[in-house]
Amino acid sequence: MKKFNFMSRKSKPLGREDVSPLIKNSTLPTDEEDQTGNLGYGNPYMENGFNNHQELDNQGGQEKGQSLLSVLAKALRVSHAVPQERLEANLEGPPEEIMCHEAQKKDDTHPEVLHQMYFHLIKASVDKHFPKLPARITVNKLEGYLIKVQITVQGELLRLAPLLKEAQLLKHLIACYHQRMFDCLQQILQHVNTKKEAFTVLDWVLHTYLSEELLGHPDIWDEALHAVDLLLLTDWIPQAEKKLLATVQEDTSTSLRRILQNEESGREVCVSGEEAFIKLHLDVIQCINAVLQKAKMMSQTLMRKVQIVCWQELQDFVERYVNAEKKHLQKQAGMGTSSTMHFFKTFNTCNELELYISRIAKDDTSLDCVKTISTLKGLEALSWKLLLEKPFQLAQISLKKYFKREDEQMENLMKEITFIFQDLPKDKDTQKTVINKAYQSITLLYLQHLVQSNHGKLVKRWDYVNKRVMHDAELLHSIFSGLNPDVKQWHIILIKVREVLECSDIERLKITVSEILRDYGSTSAAEHLPALLRWKGGLSWRLTREVLEASQEVYPIDLSQTRSAPWFGCLFCC
């Protein structure tokens, strides 16, 4: 697509800078030729006609001049009679036009007068052929109108180019259409009400009007370089940009408010299905991305300006969404109602919006996303707490019974946990996060209840404690890996616990405890190590301290802060 290189040549004023013969070896068109549209291509008077007017007095004066006007009028498809009021209007124009008017009073064959008449005919042709603007603009009507303008203007320019180029009038025809175009574009801006309309007209000007599809056509673009008034374009672009940004702001704000209204109206509806989990954040992201992509196709500079407008609306949306959702979640918590699916949806939505906002801020470092992400994280933390609250409380009650009653089975707890999480969509990263956290929490809770139980009574009930712990570890992993196969293998903590309980060699015990600290030192598993060593039995205070100090040398961790056993501080005081 060829576009103007406006810096390649200096513009020349329209006028009669070249008085060389124009159209040669011509013959007057017949009536049949008139019907084809090739009017004026063979006029003997044009051989020296449109610019070399000095010969007119020797060739018949007014009659010859009127013949030239008649031929040009036929080519332009307008009446060759120039209304007197048009000529009189020149008295208010530039000095040279006033001089033409004065000359016309004396002689209609005066060259300057004829030249001015040619301009009037061209102006009349532009007025006649330029499509009328629809009374009420819509996107479809605007697109259709601009296509019609494109076809009509290019058709007229290419049809008349051979004749008017020879007559040194093509640049004036282009200039007239150019002026009329931007007069029309100014009117369009006044009627633009949506971002689609604003994008349509601005995109058309940037990618059609200045391309080979119109003024950049190879047959006319040399003349167009000289004829177009760049100030018309540079004055109009900021106005169009301002209108576009205003409509983007209004449309984006309206769309985001509608998304939030739909979310609020659907809160009482049971959340299920893939669409229910992704609809809110996906609608928001699509709303913003659609306008950013459209702007980016037109201009990187425009895209950055549009992004700032969208960013402001996105920040407002996040604040409204978080406030409304917090009230809803707190209301549910206060009423004692529980909705794992809704809690997960909120958690997932916050997570997705955080990722999207981070990407936007990464692309444009001038955007401050700290407050917005912090706002989302507050809601994410609340939904996370409520999401895991029920399964954690359930595990707490069940494990307490499990380590005290003969008839309690670990399988019963796992069935209830599976029921809570089984409907969460498995293709979500957030689902893996939730399952992984639940797996970790219940595993560590199991360890806590184990070391807090009565070792002697537990041995009597279970016979082989080590085997029972191993069985439970495998059951835990089977359940949680079934919910998500990519979760971390938290059951290995319990496998290491079994090794600690079975190990009688102090040096080997030091290695096992060190491995637990290496792999799980950041969790509460490390806090349970002192209690586990004491619960194991067979170790004196001195040996227990020796094992812990040896493991500390390899993987240092502040075990003195443990809350798992109030007496643990004594180990380091002896």
Side-chain angles (χ1 to χ4, degrees), residues 192-297:
V192 164
N193 294 313
T194 68
K195 68 173 185 287
K196 288 185 179 180
E197 295 167 359
F199 271 121
T200 297
V201 65
L202 184 56
D203 182 63
W204 185 85
V205 171
L206 295 178
H207 295 107
T208 299
Y209 184 63
L210 301 179
S211 72
E212 286 187 6
E213 298 175 39
L214 244 173
L215 296 187
H217 193 281
D219 291 349
I220 62 173
W221 87 305
D222 284 337
E223 285 75 14
L225 283 173
H226 297 146
V228 297
D229 184 350
L230 291 182
L231 289 181
L232 291 176
L233 178 64
T234 55
D235 285 348
W236 183 84
I237 291 292
Q239 297 178 53
E241 182 183 272
K242 181 179 179 181
K243 172 67 77 169
L244 186 144
L245 294 178
T247 56
V248 165
Q249 187 275 329
E250 183 177 352
D251 281 16
T252 304
S253 176
T254 300
S255 297
L256 293 179
R257 286 183 181 277
R258 187 179 300 116
I259 291 171
L260 188 56
Q261 288 172 357
N262 292 338
E263 173 66 12
E264 291 176 349
S265 62
R267 279 201 177 101
E268 303 303 325
V269 180
C270 180
V271 179
S272 61
E274 175 68 9
E275 184 179 357
F277 288 103
I278 66 175
K279 183 170 178 55
L280 187 140
H281 75 263
L282 193 61
D283 285 350
V284 171
I285 292 172
Q286 288 178 341
C287 173
I288 302 295
N289 278 353
V291 68
L292 291 181
Q293 288 300 319
K294 183 64 176 178
K296 185 178 181 180
M297 292 172 60

Side-chain angles (χ1 to χ4, degrees), residues 385-552:
K385 174 179 176 294
L386 295 174
L387 180 61
L388 295 177
E389 189 173 58
K390 180 179 179 179
F392 190 81
Q393 289 176 349
L394 179 63
Q396 183 80 275
I397 296 171
S398 297
L399 287 173
K400 186 176 181 180
K401 294 178 180 178
Y402 180 66
F403 284 97
K404 289 185 177 181
R405 296 181 182 178
E406 181 72 30
D407 58 345
E408 287 296 323
Q409 298 295 321
M410 190 70 176
E411 285 80 0
N412 295 333
L413 170 61
M414 291 297 96
K415 287 180 181 179
E416 293 179 321
I417 295 298
T418 301
F419 179 77
I420 291 174
F421 293 121
Q422 65 183 356
D423 292 330
L424 299 185
K426 294 180 174 57
D427 60 338
K428 297 296 175 188
D429 289 338
T430 43
Q431 189 263 3
K432 175 185 173 182
T433 302
V434 170
I435 299 302
N436 193 66
K437 184 63 177 178
Y439 187 3
Q440 176 191 2
S441 298
I442 293 175
T443 301
L444 294 173
L445 192 61
Y446 181 99
L447 175 58
Q448 177 185 335
H449 281 280
L450 174 67
V451 300
Q452 289 177 350
S453 66
N454 186 294
H455 184 270
K457 292 181 178 180
L458 199 61
V459 169
K460 289 181 180 180
R461 282 202 307 272
W462 288 358
D463 293 333
Y464 300 99
V465 174
N466 300 346
K467 290 184 178 180
R468 188 64 171 262
V469 170
M470 186 65 181
H471 168 269
D472 291 344
E474 293 174 349
L475 178 62
L476 279 170
H477 187 66
S478 174
I479 294 300
F480 284 106
S481 62
L483 292 169
N484 190 303
D486 296 326
V487 292
K488 186 175 178 179
Q489 297 182 13
W490 291 104
H491 72 297
I492 293 179
I493 295 178
L494 300 184
I495 294 176
K496 292 293 183 182
V497 167
R498 186 205 65 179
E499 293 178 9
V500 169
L501 297 178
E502 293 178 346
C503 185
S504 57
D505 181 78
I506 295 299
E507 296 305 316
R508 178 58 192 166
L509 188 59
K510 291 177 182 179
I511 294 174
T512 303
V513 171
S514 296
E515 290 174 347
I516 294 175
L517 286 176
R518 178 193 66 192
D519 298 331
Y520 307 101
S522 61
T523 70
S524 61
E527 298 179 359
H528 296 307
L529 283 176
L532 177 63
L533 292 174
R534 292 299 298 165
W535 192 85
K536 164 185 167 64
L539 291 177
S540 65
W541 288 91
R542 181 184 63 81
L543 288 177
T544 302
R545 178 176 179 178
E546 182 180 333
V547 170
L548 290 172
E549 286 180 342
S551 64
Q552 283 282 65

Side-chain angles (χ1 to χ4, degrees), residues 140-151:
N140 292 335
K141 283 187 177 180
L142 181 58
E143 290 175 345
Y145 175 72
L146 292 175
I147 291 173
K148 184 177 181 181
V149 168
Q150 173 187 335
I151 294 172

